[in-house]
Amino acid sequence: MRILVTGGAGFIGSEYVRLLLGKPLGSADGVPPLEPTVVTVLDKLTYSGNLANLDLVRGDPRLRFVQGDICDPTTVDEVVAGHDVIVHFAAESHVDRSIAGAAPFVTTNVLGTQTLLDAALRHGTGRFVHISTDEVYGSIDDGSWTETWPLAPNSPYSASKAGSDLLALAYHRTHGMDVLVTRCSNNYGPYQFPEKVIPLFVSNLLDGGTVPLYGDGGNIRDWLHVHDHCRGIAMVQQKGRAGEVYNIGGGTELTNKKLTGLLLEACGAGWDRVVPVTDRKGHDRRYSLDITKISEELGYTPSITLDRGLADTVRWYQNNRTWWEPLKTTPTA
Ligand SMILES: NC(=O)c1ccc[n+]([C@@H]2O[C@H](COP(=O)([O-])OP(=O)(O)OC[C@H]3O[C@@H](n4cnc5c(N)ncnc54)[C@H](O)[C@@H]3O)[C@@H](O)[C@H]2O)c1
């Protein structure tokens, strides 16, 4: 089976490539045999893409890397040809950047996805797995979202993801394409660019600096280890039903303030290192996913507890300064 992974040099996409090639960050328990003959990574290498993320699988004869933009129809057409499956991670992925400027989010997330879908349609690609987010549902005060919940995104990032998510499902309904959508909660783990809250806080703390906590710190997120996320995606790729949406969560809801406390403790720092900052504009209060569907249909359960996952992640950032230190000075534009 020939698998194309877009955004495979990013945080989550690179773990998916490691899983496909037999070198994941955790055990592949419950994951059906993947056995790819070719894994092609198509990645533009934006500020968040990094070839070093693929170091563990570098040299695997099945791995092919193409540097290119998913918005470029010529490149996409050439790369998509001959693949049986596309797993589509490539995106602009940081909410704060989308508040500062939405244009690259609309271009890559919406137009880029449409460009890929059109190429997959032309080439008769067997299966298209679109990686979406729980942020497309908006914010929820009580209870949890099932996959049939209406979409009500609040940030330019989540609106662009909702656009691509609905577009992918429309290609199934309109053209009968074998498209599946996954919507996951907040990921964390090794190789995450140090602008998202966990790697930002850990790297700042390891550097002896302070960490910015938004608003009252009461926003609630469900944390999912990147390896568990990729196990869930593999189950969807192998056993999911065409045209279906699958939520993938970690079952670990907690406030940002509580998370901050855990990270301070893991890094041996105190609350004097926390600087309260003005809340993010339009900050969603709470995310909560119902994962009954993927659990009952495909046998998914998260395998990494938050305690263990955070401890492993902090240790990874302690031991891999050469990976993240240069990224802290990457221009943010
Ligand atoms: N990180 C999370 O917590 C989270 C949560 C829910 C959903 N997601 C989704 O998962 C996917 C992966 O997220 P991530 O955290 O790994 O992001 P990331 O920013 O670490 O990686 C994105 C990758 O896409 C590549 N890319 C960006 N624009 C491109 C373009 N135009 N053409 C080709 N490649 C391009 C980048 O170079 C990078 O390698 C995204 O679709 C994101 O929306 C992420």
Side-chain angles (χ1 to χ4, degrees):
M1 185 187 293
R2 298 168 65 93
I3 304 175
L4 171 60
V5 181
T6 72
F11 164 50
I12 307 172
S14 65
E15 173 59 3
Y16 201 65
V17 172
R18 287 188 292 271
L19 179 64
L20 288 172
L21 296 175
K23 296 264 175 60
L25 294 171
S27 116
D29 264 7
V31 176
L34 294 158
E35 292 165 5
T37 49
V38 171
V39 175
T40 305
V41 171
L42 172 61
D43 198 298
K44 188 179 173 182
L45 297 181
T46 66
Y47 76 94
S48 70
N50 187 347
L51 275 181
N53 295 359
L54 294 169
D55 275 355
L56 288 177
V57 286
R58 193 186 298 266
D60 189 306
R62 295 167 295 176
L63 180 64
R64 211 163 63 102
F65 179 79
V66 180
Q67 181 168 5
D69 190 335
I70 58 164
C71 302
D72 171 11
T74 309
T75 305
V76 168
D77 196 70
E78 279 170 20
V79 174
V80 164
H83 286 90
D84 305 299
V85 177
I86 298 175
V87 188
H88 174 35
F89 294 90
E92 286 294 334
S93 67
H94 190 42
V95 175
D96 287 342
R97 285 177 188 256
S98 80
I99 295 168
F105 289 75
V106 176
T107 306
T108 286
N109 300 0
V110 183
L111 295 179
T113 300
Q114 171 246 312
T115 306
L116 274 170
L117 285 163
D118 278 341
L121 179 63
R122 253 191 323 275
H123 289 285
T125 307
R127 176 152 271 210
F128 190 105
V129 183
H130 176 75
I131 309 306
S132 187
T133 166
D134 61 358
E135 298 188 33
V136 297
Y137 296 120
S139 185
I140 188 166
D141 291 333
D142 304 298
S144 301
W145 294 300
T146 60
E147 288 81 353
T148 55
W149 206 273
L151 304 196
N154 291 315
S155 70
Y157 162 70
S158 53
S160 69
K161 291 297 290 185
S164 54
D165 174 318
L166 293 174
L167 202 54
L169 292 171
Y171 274 62
H172 168 73
R173 298 198 189 105
T174 306
H175 300 294
M177 267 174 67
D178 184 341
V179 171
L180 304 94
V181 170
T182 60
R183 296 181 185 145
C184 67
S185 53
N186 284 43
N187 283 226
Y188 72 101
Y191 300 103
Q192 188 169 28
F193 192 85
E195 64 182 354
K196 306 270 170 61
V197 62
I198 291 182
L200 175 73
F201 279 24
V202 170
S203 56
N204 283 8
L205 292 170
L206 294 177
D207 268 349
T210 57
V211 298
L213 182 62
Y214 276 136
D216 65 359
N219 302 67
I220 295 175
R221 299 291 181 264
D222 167 55
W223 290 99
L224 169 65
H225 194 280
V226 63
H227 172 64
D228 276 334
H229 182 198
C230 289
R231 285 176 54 247
I233 296 169
M235 292 173 190
V236 170
Q237 184 204 306
Q238 293 291 84
K239 305 190 290 183
R241 287 179 296 131
E244 294 294 321
V245 177
Y246 294 90
N247 288 342
I248 308 178
T252 58
E253 274 181 46
L254 77 172
T255 63
N256 287 344
K257 197 167 179 182
K258 176 98 175 103
L259 174 72
T260 303
L262 294 175
L263 295 175
L264 290 171
E265 200 183 320
C267 296
W271 280 96
D272 57 320
R273 306 275 288 279
V274 178
V275 179
V277 294
T278 309
D279 207 355
R280 173 190 270 170
K281 284 188 197 170
H283 206 176
D284 290 329
R285 192 67 180 169
R286 176 171 175 261
Y287 300 145
S288 181
L289 280 180
D290 183 321
I291 60 166
T292 308
K293 181 173 173 180
I294 190 169
S295 302
E296 291 186 351
E297 237 182 70
L298 307 182
Y300 166 82
T301 45
S303 65
I304 301 176
T305 62
L306 187 64
D307 280 353
R308 195 195 115 201
L310 284 182
D312 287 353
T313 301
V314 169
R315 198 172 315 115
W316 189 87
Y317 280 86
Q318 274 164 341
N319 294 336
N320 289 277
R321 278 181 170 271
T322 51
W323 180 87
W324 58 264
E325 272 175 348
L327 304 180
K328 297 283 276 188
T329 52
T330 300
T332 53

PDB file of all heavy atoms in Angstrom, residues 2-27:
ATOM      1  N   ARG A   2       0.556   2.194  -0.897  1.00  0.00           N
ATOM      2  CA  ARG A   2       1.330   3.446  -1.013  1.00  0.00           C
ATOM      3  C   ARG A   2       0.551   4.555  -0.324  1.00  0.00           C
ATOM      4  O   ARG A   2      -0.592   4.839  -0.688  1.00  0.00           O
ATOM      5  CB  ARG A   2       1.565   3.786  -2.484  1.00  0.00           C
ATOM      6  CG  ARG A   2       2.393   2.715  -3.219  1.00  0.00           C
ATOM      7  CD  ARG A   2       2.352   2.920  -4.720  1.00  0.00           C
ATOM      8  NE  ARG A   2       2.997   4.168  -5.100  1.00  0.00           N
ATOM      9  CZ  ARG A   2       4.278   4.279  -5.451  1.00  0.00           C
ATOM     10  NH1 ARG A   2       5.052   3.217  -5.470  1.00  0.00           N
ATOM     11  NH2 ARG A   2       4.781   5.441  -5.784  1.00  0.00           N
ATOM     12  N   ILE A   3       1.171   5.141   0.704  1.00  0.00           N
ATOM     13  CA  ILE A   3       0.469   6.121   1.540  1.00  0.00           C
ATOM     14  C   ILE A   3       1.135   7.488   1.409  1.00  0.00           C
ATOM     15  O   ILE A   3       2.364   7.607   1.570  1.00  0.00           O
ATOM     16  CB  ILE A   3       0.470   5.667   3.023  1.00  0.00           C
ATOM     17  CG1 ILE A   3      -0.156   4.260   3.137  1.00  0.00           C
ATOM     18  CG2 ILE A   3      -0.293   6.660   3.902  1.00  0.00           C
ATOM     19  CD1 ILE A   3      -0.096   3.655   4.515  1.00  0.00           C
ATOM     20  N   LEU A   4       0.329   8.503   1.147  1.00  0.00           N
ATOM     21  CA  LEU A   4       0.826   9.886   1.094  1.00  0.00           C
ATOM     22  C   LEU A   4       0.425  10.585   2.383  1.00  0.00           C
ATOM     23  O   LEU A   4      -0.760  10.596   2.748  1.00  0.00           O
ATOM     24  CB  LEU A   4       0.207  10.607  -0.107  1.00  0.00           C
ATOM     25  CG  LEU A   4       0.443  12.118  -0.196  1.00  0.00           C
ATOM     26  CD1 LEU A   4       1.938  12.448  -0.272  1.00  0.00           C
ATOM     27  CD2 LEU A   4      -0.284  12.690  -1.418  1.00  0.00           C
ATOM     28  N   VAL A   5       1.415  11.134   3.088  1.00  0.00           N
ATOM     29  CA  VAL A   5       1.149  11.859   4.334  1.00  0.00           C
ATOM     30  C   VAL A   5       1.493  13.321   4.091  1.00  0.00           C
ATOM     31  O   VAL A   5       2.669  13.671   3.935  1.00  0.00           O
ATOM     32  CB  VAL A   5       1.996  11.298   5.496  1.00  0.00           C
ATOM     33  CG1 VAL A   5       1.699  12.053   6.790  1.00  0.00           C
ATOM     34  CG2 VAL A   5       1.735   9.804   5.692  1.00  0.00           C
ATOM     35  N   THR A   6       0.480  14.194   4.056  1.00  0.00           N
ATOM     36  CA  THR A   6       0.782  15.626   3.912  1.00  0.00           C
ATOM     37  C   THR A   6       1.084  16.181   5.312  1.00  0.00           C
ATOM     38  O   THR A   6       0.507  15.735   6.304  1.00  0.00           O
ATOM     39  CB  THR A   6      -0.390  16.406   3.291  1.00  0.00           C
ATOM     40  OG1 THR A   6      -1.443  16.510   4.260  1.00  0.00           O
ATOM     41  CG2 THR A   6      -0.905  15.756   2.013  1.00  0.00           C
ATOM     42  N   GLY A   7       2.011  17.131   5.381  1.00  0.00           N
ATOM     43  CA  GLY A   7       2.379  17.690   6.688  1.00  0.00           C
ATOM     44  C   GLY A   7       3.134  16.679   7.550  1.00  0.00           C
ATOM     45  O   GLY A   7       3.153  16.796   8.778  1.00  0.00           O
ATOM     46  N   GLY A   8       3.779  15.715   6.907  1.00  0.00           N
ATOM     47  CA  GLY A   8       4.471  14.645   7.635  1.00  0.00           C
ATOM     48  C   GLY A   8       5.741  15.082   8.329  1.00  0.00           C
ATOM     49  O   GLY A   8       6.348  14.291   9.065  1.00  0.00           O
ATOM     50  N   ALA A   9       6.179  16.338   8.114  1.00  0.00           N
ATOM     51  CA  ALA A   9       7.344  16.843   8.847  1.00  0.00           C
ATOM     52  C   ALA A   9       6.913  17.694  10.034  1.00  0.00           C
ATOM     53  O   ALA A   9       7.750  18.290  10.715  1.00  0.00           O
ATOM     54  CB  ALA A   9       8.256  17.647   7.920  1.00  0.00           C
ATOM     55  N   GLY A  10       5.608  17.758  10.290  1.00  0.00           N
ATOM     56  CA  GLY A  10       5.112  18.514  11.442  1.00  0.00           C
ATOM     57  C   GLY A  10       5.037  17.635  12.682  1.00  0.00           C
ATOM     58  O   GLY A  10       5.488  16.480  12.679  1.00  0.00           O
ATOM     59  N   PHE A  11       4.439  18.173  13.726  1.00  0.00           N
ATOM     60  CA  PHE A  11       4.385  17.491  15.022  1.00  0.00           C
ATOM     61  C   PHE A  11       3.605  16.153  14.934  1.00  0.00           C
ATOM     62  O   PHE A  11       4.154  15.083  15.211  1.00  0.00           O
ATOM     63  CB  PHE A  11       3.741  18.467  16.017  1.00  0.00           C
ATOM     64  CG  PHE A  11       3.243  17.884  17.293  1.00  0.00           C
ATOM     65  CD1 PHE A  11       4.040  17.045  18.069  1.00  0.00           C
ATOM     66  CD2 PHE A  11       1.965  18.196  17.756  1.00  0.00           C
ATOM     67  CE1 PHE A  11       3.564  16.518  19.269  1.00  0.00           C
ATOM     68  CE2 PHE A  11       1.491  17.688  18.949  1.00  0.00           C
ATOM     69  CZ  PHE A  11       2.284  16.838  19.704  1.00  0.00           C
ATOM     70  N   ILE A  12       2.353  16.214  14.535  1.00  0.00           N
ATOM     71  CA  ILE A  12       1.533  14.988  14.546  1.00  0.00           C
ATOM     72  C   ILE A  12       1.836  14.119  13.325  1.00  0.00           C
ATOM     73  O   ILE A  12       1.973  12.892  13.432  1.00  0.00           O
ATOM     74  CB  ILE A  12       0.027  15.336  14.600  1.00  0.00           C
ATOM     75  CG1 ILE A  12      -0.271  16.275  15.774  1.00  0.00           C
ATOM     76  CG2 ILE A  12      -0.812  14.062  14.729  1.00  0.00           C
ATOM     77  CD1 ILE A  12      -1.692  16.837  15.790  1.00  0.00           C
ATOM     78  N   GLY A  13       1.981  14.770  12.155  1.00  0.00           N
ATOM     79  CA  GLY A  13       2.247  14.008  10.933  1.00  0.00           C
ATOM     80  C   GLY A  13       3.510  13.169  11.047  1.00  0.00           C
ATOM     81  O   GLY A  13       3.561  12.031  10.566  1.00  0.00           O
ATOM     82  N   SER A  14       4.544  13.697  11.727  1.00  0.00           N
ATOM     83  CA  SER A  14       5.799  12.931  11.827  1.00  0.00           C
ATOM     84  C   SER A  14       5.609  11.701  12.713  1.00  0.00           C
ATOM     85  O   SER A  14       6.205  10.653  12.466  1.00  0.00           O
ATOM     86  CB  SER A  14       6.947  13.807  12.341  1.00  0.00           C
ATOM     87  OG  SER A  14       6.712  14.235  13.667  1.00  0.00           O
ATOM     88  N   GLU A  15       4.757  11.787  13.743  1.00  0.00           N
ATOM     89  CA  GLU A  15       4.491  10.594  14.548  1.00  0.00           C
ATOM     90  C   GLU A  15       3.707   9.570  13.717  1.00  0.00           C
ATOM     91  O   GLU A  15       3.927   8.369  13.852  1.00  0.00           O
ATOM     92  CB  GLU A  15       3.735  10.958  15.840  1.00  0.00           C
ATOM     93  CG  GLU A  15       3.256   9.779  16.678  1.00  0.00           C
ATOM     94  CD  GLU A  15       4.348   8.822  17.170  1.00  0.00           C
ATOM     95  OE1 GLU A  15       5.540   9.064  16.926  1.00  0.00           O
ATOM     96  OE2 GLU A  15       3.982   7.794  17.782  1.00  0.00           O
ATOM     97  N   TYR A  16       2.837  10.063  12.845  1.00  0.00           N
ATOM     98  CA  TYR A  16       2.103   9.115  11.995  1.00  0.00           C
ATOM     99  C   TYR A  16       3.074   8.380  11.061  1.00  0.00           C
ATOM    100  O   TYR A  16       2.961   7.171  10.866  1.00  0.00           O
ATOM    101  CB  TYR A  16       0.996   9.833  11.202  1.00  0.00           C
ATOM    102  CG  TYR A  16      -0.047   8.843  10.746  1.00  0.00           C
ATOM    103  CD1 TYR A  16      -0.830   8.166  11.678  1.00  0.00           C
ATOM    104  CD2 TYR A  16      -0.226   8.535   9.404  1.00  0.00           C
ATOM    105  CE1 TYR A  16      -1.765   7.214  11.289  1.00  0.00           C
ATOM    106  CE2 TYR A  16      -1.163   7.599   9.006  1.00  0.00           C
ATOM    107  CZ  TYR A  16      -1.926   6.940   9.954  1.00  0.00           C
ATOM    108  OH  TYR A  16      -2.849   5.991   9.570  1.00  0.00           O
ATOM    109  N   VAL A  17       4.035   9.124  10.516  1.00  0.00           N
ATOM    110  CA  VAL A  17       5.033   8.492   9.639  1.00  0.00           C
ATOM    111  C   VAL A  17       5.850   7.466  10.440  1.00  0.00           C
ATOM    112  O   VAL A  17       6.104   6.346   9.976  1.00  0.00           O
ATOM    113  CB  VAL A  17       5.943   9.572   9.000  1.00  0.00           C
ATOM    114  CG1 VAL A  17       7.107   8.941   8.246  1.00  0.00           C
ATOM    115  CG2 VAL A  17       5.119  10.472   8.080  1.00  0.00           C
ATOM    116  N   ARG A  18       6.233   7.831  11.667  1.00  0.00           N
ATOM    117  CA  ARG A  18       6.986   6.867  12.501  1.00  0.00           C
ATOM    118  C   ARG A  18       6.146   5.629  12.769  1.00  0.00           C
ATOM    119  O   ARG A  18       6.650   4.505  12.738  1.00  0.00           O
ATOM    120  CB  ARG A  18       7.409   7.517  13.827  1.00  0.00           C
ATOM    121  CG  ARG A  18       8.539   8.533  13.698  1.00  0.00           C
ATOM    122  CD  ARG A  18       9.058   8.997  15.061  1.00  0.00           C
ATOM    123  NE  ARG A  18       8.088   9.780  15.794  1.00  0.00           N
ATOM    124  CZ  ARG A  18       7.957  11.101  15.705  1.00  0.00           C
ATOM    125  NH1 ARG A  18       8.741  11.802  14.899  1.00  0.00           N
ATOM    126  NH2 ARG A  18       7.039  11.729  16.409  1.00  0.00           N
ATOM    127  N   LEU A  19       4.854   5.826  13.029  1.00  0.00           N
ATOM    128  CA  LEU A  19       3.976   4.675  13.293  1.00  0.00           C
ATOM    129  C   LEU A  19       3.873   3.795  12.045  1.00  0.00           C
ATOM    130  O   LEU A  19       3.977   2.561  12.128  1.00  0.00           O
ATOM    131  CB  LEU A  19       2.592   5.184  13.724  1.00  0.00           C
ATOM    132  CG  LEU A  19       1.529   4.137  14.029  1.00  0.00           C
ATOM    133  CD1 LEU A  19       1.917   3.281  15.231  1.00  0.00           C
ATOM    134  CD2 LEU A  19       0.173   4.798  14.327  1.00  0.00           C
ATOM    135  N   LEU A  20       3.685   4.428  10.887  1.00  0.00           N
ATOM    136  CA  LEU A  20       3.575   3.652   9.638  1.00  0.00           C
ATOM    137  C   LEU A  20       4.836   2.832   9.393  1.00  0.00           C
ATOM    138  O   LEU A  20       4.773   1.707   8.904  1.00  0.00           O
ATOM    139  CB  LEU A  20       3.364   4.593   8.444  1.00  0.00           C
ATOM    140  CG  LEU A  20       1.997   5.268   8.315  1.00  0.00           C
ATOM    141  CD1 LEU A  20       2.019   6.310   7.197  1.00  0.00           C
ATOM    142  CD2 LEU A  20       0.903   4.237   8.038  1.00  0.00           C
ATOM    143  N   LEU A  21       5.996   3.402   9.764  1.00  0.00           N
ATOM    144  CA  LEU A  21       7.273   2.744   9.446  1.00  0.00           C
ATOM    145  C   LEU A  21       7.815   1.927  10.627  1.00  0.00           C
ATOM    146  O   LEU A  21       8.970   1.516  10.634  1.00  0.00           O
ATOM    147  CB  LEU A  21       8.295   3.791   8.981  1.00  0.00           C
ATOM    148  CG  LEU A  21       7.903   4.496   7.657  1.00  0.00           C
ATOM    149  CD1 LEU A  21       8.893   5.596   7.307  1.00  0.00           C
ATOM    150  CD2 LEU A  21       7.816   3.482   6.505  1.00  0.00           C
ATOM    151  N   GLY A  22       6.974   1.720  11.636  1.00  0.00           N
ATOM    152  CA  GLY A  22       7.347   0.810  12.728  1.00  0.00           C
ATOM    153  C   GLY A  22       8.241   1.400  13.796  1.00  0.00           C
ATOM    154  O   GLY A  22       8.887   0.660  14.546  1.00  0.00           O
ATOM    155  N   LYS A  23       8.316   2.748  13.913  1.00  0.00           N
ATOM    156  CA  LYS A  23       9.151   3.378  14.946  1.00  0.00           C
ATOM    157  C   LYS A  23       8.353   4.418  15.748  1.00  0.00           C
ATOM    158  O   LYS A  23       8.794   5.566  15.904  1.00  0.00           O
ATOM    159  CB  LYS A  23      10.353   4.085  14.291  1.00  0.00           C
ATOM    160  CG  LYS A  23      11.327   3.173  13.568  1.00  0.00           C
ATOM    161  CD  LYS A  23      12.480   2.818  14.482  1.00  0.00           C
ATOM    162  CE  LYS A  23      13.449   1.811  13.896  1.00  0.00           C
ATOM    163  NZ  LYS A  23      14.080   2.224  12.673  1.00  0.00           N
ATOM    164  N   PRO A  24       7.156   4.045  16.262  1.00  0.00           N
ATOM    165  CA  PRO A  24       6.348   5.049  16.974  1.00  0.00           C
ATOM    166  C   PRO A  24       6.927   5.372  18.345  1.00  0.00           C
ATOM    167  O   PRO A  24       7.797   4.651  18.850  1.00  0.00           O
ATOM    168  CB  PRO A  24       4.997   4.352  17.112  1.00  0.00           C
ATOM    169  CG  PRO A  24       5.321   2.894  17.147  1.00  0.00           C
ATOM    170  CD  PRO A  24       6.529   2.720  16.268  1.00  0.00           C
ATOM    171  N   LEU A  25       6.392   6.435  18.969  1.00  0.00           N
ATOM    172  CA  LEU A  25       6.857   6.864  20.298  1.00  0.00           C
ATOM    173  C   LEU A  25       6.331   5.971  21.415  1.00  0.00           C
ATOM    174  O   LEU A  25       6.778   6.080  22.544  1.00  0.00           O
ATOM    175  CB  LEU A  25       6.427   8.309  20.559  1.00  0.00           C
ATOM    176  CG  LEU A  25       7.066   9.370  19.651  1.00  0.00           C
ATOM    177  CD1 LEU A  25       6.394  10.723  19.863  1.00  0.00           C
ATOM    178  CD2 LEU A  25       8.567   9.482  19.919  1.00  0.00           C
ATOM    179  N   GLY A  26       5.341   5.129  21.131  1.00  0.00           N
ATOM    180  CA  GLY A  26       4.799   4.227  22.155  1.00  0.00           C
ATOM    181  C   GLY A  26       4.431   2.907  21.497  1.00  0.00           C
ATOM    182  O   GLY A  26       4.719   2.700  20.312  1.00  0.00           O
ATOM    183  N   SER A  27       3.762   2.035  22.265  1.00  0.00           N
ATOM    184  CA  SER A  27       3.424   0.726  21.698  1.00  0.00           C
ATOM    185  C   SER A  27       2.260   0.865  20.709  1.00  0.00           C
ATOM    186  O   SER A  27       1.385   1.706  20.889  1.00  0.00           O
ATOM    187  CB  SER A  27       3.058  -0.232  22.823  1.00  0.00           C
ATOM    188  OG  SER A  27       1.727  -0.627  22.708  1.00  0.00           O
TER     189      SER A  27
END
